[in-house]
Amino acid sequence: MTDAVWIVPSYPWEEEPVGGIFHQTQARALARRGLEITAACPTPWAPWPLPRLRARWRRYAAAPPRAVDDGVRVIRPRYLGLPGEPSWAFPDRLVADATWRARGDWTGARLIHGHSAVAGLAAWRLARRTGLPFVITFHGSDLNTWPDDHPDRVRDLRAAAREARAVVTVSAALAARVRVLAGVEPVHLPLGSDHRSLAALAPPRDDARAAVGLADDRLVALFVGNLLVAKGLRELVDAVTPRGDRWVAVLVGDGPERGYGSDRERFPGTVWYRGRRSHDEIATWMRAADVLVLPSHREGLPTVLVEAGSLELPVIASGAGGIPGLLADGRGAVLPEVSAAAIGAALDAFALDPAAAAAAAAQLRRYVLVEHDVDVNAGRLLELYGLG
């Protein structure tokens, strides 16, 4: 039996240990409170020979169709992924149909919750088919860029938001966007972190440095995320490499930009690419680092910043999405622009006054422990669901 079925674009598993970690953290918290959750993560069908051509398609093919994760049932029904989405391909229809075909795995569901624009539209379609109430959560770039890139789908997005039991946003900036786009009053529910679990995963700094092979004489600028141009990765590397006598950039994640700047002969050893890592390993890297840098050109409210705050790691980040609100009142350094010069200046300021950065990190930790607690969020979600 299932109380609520979630439709999510990603959910962690062995070969994708970080993607959708915020879904996992929140779903587990709801499960601890006794709610039966089925997380439906529709996955593109990957027929032969596609898995042999690209790693992404190999992972699609290898993803387990069913699993149980700390009390959360996870299903990955397959659908035919088409190019051109989300305009003419209407992926929300395909996602909704795939979830409907798997309805035997969520028997008894009393509510549907779609996470992201496409999943939210899929939840809307599924709710119309089943008669169940539904909730939509917008997480960031799905709402910041999707309506502009696909104006032909705005009417559907507006209708879904107006019919939903609740529209949830992870930042105040996204809440403002929803008001303009759909004319509804959203619920601002920030991303939550499991602070106690995260602290238990993170070793002391000296042990963390030893574990990842970092010397004590280098300042470490850590990046965690998909290695994309939109994440400001090139600007970060271009800022660190000229400062390589003191700094090293450690980039945890994977993507098409992996390797950028690592072959520069003038600055050997200043850029480390460490690939995909588990959540446990990322906690170790955060303990080993001196500062987390996230110079994204667009964002919602990144989980990695909340987790850095939980571990009292100083943060330098762009002013995209909900980041300025998170780092307001001296809780971190917000870049005036995404450029190598701006990132370099922020790194220099950190090196000149690490005590000020440590004080900002302490403020950020106090803030996220109160405002971004996953168990508090679980209680608020239960109230929104109204399933009592």
Side-chain angles (χ1 to χ4, degrees):
M1 296 293 288
T2 295
D3 292 316
V5 56
W6 281 20
I7 305 177
V8 296
S10 57
Y11 197 96
W13 65 288
E14 184 179 358
E15 291 198 34
E16 294 277 4
V18 177
I21 194 72
F22 42 87
H23 300 316
Q24 181 186 61
T25 302
Q26 189 66 80
R28 285 176 172 181
L30 286 168
R32 287 196 296 271
R33 285 176 167 256
L35 198 71
E36 295 285 341
I37 295 283
T38 296
C41 182
T43 301
W45 177 51
W48 189 91
L50 290 177
R52 300 190 63 180
L53 300 177
R54 290 192 177 183
R56 175 167 59 97
W57 288 97
R58 184 190 63 76
R59 290 193 293 273
Y60 287 158
R66 291 176 180 82
V68 177
D69 173 63
D70 271 11
V72 179
R73 183 183 297 108
V74 183
I75 61 173
R76 291 183 172 85
R78 268 40 180 190
Y79 71 96
L80 182 62
L82 298 173
E85 54 184 23
S87 293
W88 68 266
F90 284 83
D92 46 296
R93 290 180 178 172
L94 301 174
V95 167
D97 287 345
T99 307
W100 172 253
R101 289 193 298 272
R103 61 191 179 278
D105 289 304
W106 43 276
T107 302
R110 295 183 287 158
L111 179 134
I112 303 166
H113 190 159
H115 292 262
S116 80
V118 169
L121 286 175
W124 171 57
R125 294 184 184 282
L126 206 56
R128 287 185 163 187
R129 183 177 289 186
T130 62
L132 295 174
F134 72 103
V135 173
I136 300 175
T137 292
F138 292 112
H139 290 270
S141 58
D142 55 342
L143 191 63
N144 286 329
T145 63
W146 197 82
D148 296 331
D149 293 342
H150 306 281
D152 51 313
R153 302 304 312 282
V154 169
R155 178 179 295 179
D156 285 345
L157 203 61
R158 184 178 293 119
R162 290 176 176 175
E163 292 179 28
R165 170 170 289 184
V167 176
V168 179
T169 65
V170 301
S171 73
L174 280 174
R177 178 86 162 147
V178 167
R179 293 186 193 101
V180 171
L181 179 72
V184 301
E185 186 59 36
V187 176
H188 175 204
L189 186 63
L191 290 173
S193 179
D194 187 342
H195 301 295
R196 282 179 288 187
S197 175
L198 190 60
L201 291 173
R205 176 183 168 83
D206 290 345
D207 293 347
R209 284 252 172 170
V212 300
L214 281 169
D216 288 332
D217 61 347
R218 303 290 289 276
L219 292 171
V220 178
L222 176 66
F223 172 94
V224 178
N226 294 321
L227 305 185
L228 306 171
V229 170
K231 292 289 187 178
L233 181 145
R234 294 190 173 197
E235 290 87 345
L236 172 58
V237 171
D238 291 345
V240 171
T241 47
R243 295 167 172 81
D245 57 335
R246 189 171 186 185
W247 284 91
V248 59
V250 175
L251 300 108
V252 175
D254 208 353
E257 292 300 299
R258 182 171 181 174
Y260 176 81
S262 59
D263 57 350
R264 295 178 182 176
E265 296 181 0
R266 288 181 55 201
F267 313 108
T270 60
V271 183
W272 293 17
Y273 286 92
R274 288 298 177 261
R276 298 176 188 274
R277 297 289 171 173
S278 69
H279 196 230
D280 297 17
E281 292 175 288
I282 289 172
T284 299
W285 278 107
M286 284 189 176
R287 278 284 197 234
D290 293 285
V291 60
L292 182 82
V293 186
L294 188 66
S296 299
H297 292 273
R298 57 178 183 265
E299 282 288 355
L301 184 63
T303 305
V304 68
L305 297 189
V306 175
E307 295 191 341
S310 182
L311 294 177
E312 209 164 327
L313 177 64
V315 169
I316 296 170
S318 69
I323 295 174
L326 180 67
L327 301 184
D329 301 323
R331 294 189 288 266
V334 179
L335 297 167
E337 63 180 15
V338 179
S339 68
I343 297 168
L347 294 175
D348 291 342
F350 175 93
L352 284 172
D353 195 353
Q363 288 191 57
L364 180 58
R365 182 172 189 272
R366 288 191 292 270
Y367 180 80
V368 300
L369 289 181
V370 174
E371 300 294 335
H372 293 266
D373 183 272
V374 72
D375 290 308
V376 172
N377 280 11
R380 293 186 62 192
L381 271 178
L382 287 174
E383 291 177 6
L384 281 179
Y385 286 172
L387 298 180

